[in-house]
Amino acid sequence: MGRAMKIARRGFLFGSVAILGGVAFGWYRYATPYGNPLEAGLGTGEATLNPYVMIDANGVTVIAPRAEMGQGVHTTLAALVAEEMDLDWSAIRVIHGPASKAYFNSAVLAEGIPFAPTDDSRLANTMRGAMDIPAKFLGLQITGGSSSIPDAFEKMRLAGAAARMALVQAAAARLNLSADQLSTEDGAVLAPDGTRIPYADLAVDAAGIDLREEPTLKPRENWRLLGRSLPRTDMLAKVTGTETYAIDLRLPGMRFATVRTNPRLGGEMLSYDASAAEAMPGVERIVPIPNGVAVIAITTWHAMQAADAITFDWGPAPYPATSSEITETLRASFTEDRKDSTNRNDGDVDTILTAEDWQAEYTVPYLAHATMEPMSGAALLRDGKLTVWAGNQIPTQALAEAQAITGLPPEAIEIQILPMGGGFGRRLEMDALRQSIQIAKAMEGTPILLAWSREEDMTHDAYRPAAIARVRAKLDGQTLVAFDYATASSSVVESQAGRLGYSLPGPDGAIVQGAWEQPYRFANHRVTGYRAPAMVPVGSWRSVGASQNAFFHETAIDELAHLAGADPLEFRLSQIDHDPSRKVLETVAEMSGWGSTAPGRAKGVAFCMSFGVPTAQVIEIENTPEGIRMTGAWIAADVGTALDPGNIEAQLQGGMVFGLSAAIRGEITFADGMAEQANFWDYEPLRLSQCPPIRVQILENQPHIRGIGEPGTPPAAPALGNAIFALTGQRLRDLPFARAVTFA
């Protein structure tokens, strides 16, 4: 391969350092690029120029190694490579590619450093850059944390530019010309005399070229594909219903499985009676799996019918059995020994605040991910080789799980990542994938497809944690002089990393995410996180800690604005000193006509900086005989550099709808250790008729490019709650809102 194929900038820069010698072993290991995982699977006539580019007789295939779960990331990642290679967009092909450490994600770790996104100091940026080191050693190929675009922005453009450079040099050698006499266009190299050589004809030669210098990236003014809305590469298959998700996979001789595991999550299966199920037509085997059983049948329907016929004796839950007990555990967690972090402690809150000053308590419940495609996965173990087909956000972890279950070496395992019918963090989990491999091991030689029932999916989630916040504050006129924010929840990092076999030391930044790093400047300002005991399994839910902290934080700010007799939007502007954040608030005010609401209607505003993206939202509502109806919604967000405005707009709209769905009716409660909600009839998302028109404006005032998969969600709940207060005078401090008001 054109060994520039060592992709990332560090592959270029540090490669020469290693050659010079005299480098420490650790540094050498860090500077050594991972091999190109595409080389092992090349067919006749195929060539790969780096881990992101593969060429055959039909043209170029771009590897977009992040999970496509509806967010359009494959389109934008492919555009980064295609832009630098001068490819014809209509001919572009995109695949996820293999599980490989070559596709490690360093931007996802940068989110966890204890520096606010608004901190652009040398130290903060050095620390962010230093996250490359642990990321490289971990080699974690992961999609999450709105990190795909920040991680790929430079490395995938470099991959495209390096591929183009190698192809041009191959053409130059063939034509006996210098490279600077040649140009490229729509997937071909052009000579001064009009000779046109397609990349496909040059690929094999280009793959043998070692680049000696780092390619120069196109300046933004020369972009043809980036910076504009492109047709999504997955659009046709999705609108025609022909996309193949894991649950759609069909292979010759395939058998179909479903599972039943203890609904008291983490509890044991004491015994079961499958005699009735075993006698049912179409049932082939019933095999034990951890904490439950798997039923294998000739169809998924037969498997699910049989699973319903099995009786179980389940063990108890290893956590408080009811929602009220869980809430009391959270309330009891505001203690010194449970203190997990104090990421912000400006001034002297304890001296300023007294017991008589304003204070309030807010709560949110557990939430399910409720992906449209329930958890599923297929696997085939045959002749000492394992192939797994799944929608999963951590392919390298999936590879490790497969090794642990089968004992096979990594070269005998293939992980194929398929498009996902929704992720939202749920497919960071390994439960269904592990089960599919365990079933394949029991059914060696037969391809199996595991599909969870909707009920199994909803009741066996790794939920967004329930949480409580307590806020105390003091006003001096319309100035907020003291703000003391404390929140308690179980640790997502502890729970999620624990299930993957990791133990991460230090505080869990997710507990206070979306609270401590807000660009508000109060003279006395403290944010404290308390780590509640591990209870119900919890995991990353779209926007993670910001999803609950934005509701707590922005509801409290709104309450204080009204207490001060100030306009809520002007009150926020008066306390924020970060220009991009101020501009999103000013923009959303202008978009929504803030201050000029029609009779019978009211508007609420909320702001949150999450994943480095300042986002402001306004929601307008009216009171109807059928209940509260949303009549308008506006979003302004700043991503630094907008690579695909249409896709960013769709992500912000989708994030807001996701947040509103949870705010209105989202709630998982527990009784006898089991989740009480099991399907969309009792976990109801926002319906089309309820969704307001959503207008979006994208700003580019920030110095760094940011991802947008999650920032649209956090401000939705507080914007709606603040609108309800503006219209009715009823302040809602607990989610979901449907407990207290009726929605049309």
Side-chain angles (χ1 to χ4, degrees), residues 65-137:
R66 300 290 174 254
E68 178 57 75
M69 40 194 160
Q71 78 277 41
V73 71
H74 277 196
T75 298
T76 306
L77 293 184
L80 292 169
V81 174
E83 180 69 77
E84 295 294 337
M85 286 189 72
D86 285 334
L87 297 177
D88 175 6
W89 186 251
S90 65
I92 199 79
R93 293 177 296 173
V94 188
I95 61 172
H96 183 280
S100 171
K101 291 182 176 181
Y103 302 117
F104 72 91
N105 183 341
S106 57
V108 75
L109 296 186
E111 178 67 20
I113 66 170
F115 291 88
T118 51
D119 186 345
D120 218 23
S121 66
R122 183 175 180 181
L123 177 60
N125 284 325
T126 300
M127 286 297 294
R128 292 184 186 107
M131 289 300 102
D132 270 352
I133 298 172
K136 173 71 187 297
F137 283 114

Side-chain angles (χ1 to χ4, degrees), residues 270-337:
L270 303 179
S271 65
Y272 69 100
D273 181 355
S275 54
E278 288 168 339
M280 294 174 71
V283 174
E284 299 204 344
R285 285 190 67 184
I286 297 173
V287 298
I289 59 173
N291 300 336
V293 301
V295 180
I296 300 100
I298 58 173
T299 71
T300 297
W301 186 87
H302 285 87
M304 289 187 175
Q305 294 298 305
D308 287 342
I310 303 174
T311 59
F312 296 93
D313 183 12
W314 301 120
Y319 47 79
T322 67
S323 289
S324 60
E325 291 175 66
I326 290 168
T327 300
E328 288 311 307
T329 302
L330 289 173
R331 287 205 168 101
S333 297
F334 290 91
T335 58
E336 191 65 26
D337 64 314

Side-chain angles (χ1 to χ4, degrees), residues 28 53 62 108 195 265 340 383 409:
Y28 177 78
V53 177
V62 175
V108 75
T195 301
L265 305 177
D340 187 68
D383 300 331

Side-chain angles (χ1 to χ4, degrees), residues 464-540:
R464 195 284 300 273
I468 294 177
R470 291 173 178 170
V471 184
R472 300 186 303 147
K474 188 183 191 71
L475 287 160
D476 181 5
Q478 293 192 343
T479 301
L480 190 48
V481 296
F483 189 76
D484 187 19
Y485 181 100
T487 183
S489 71
S490 298
S491 167
V492 166
V493 171
E494 177 186 345
S495 184
Q496 192 164 18
R499 288 190 293 278
L500 298 179
Y502 301 108
S503 177
L504 302 181
D508 179 1
I511 293 174
V512 292
Q513 185 181 24
W516 76 274
E517 73 276 47
Q518 299 309 297
Y520 290 100
R521 298 290 178 261
F522 312 132
N524 303 280
H525 190 177
R526 183 169 62 193
V527 176
T528 309
Y530 293 87
R531 185 182 297 214
M535 295 183 281
V536 174
V538 293
S540 296

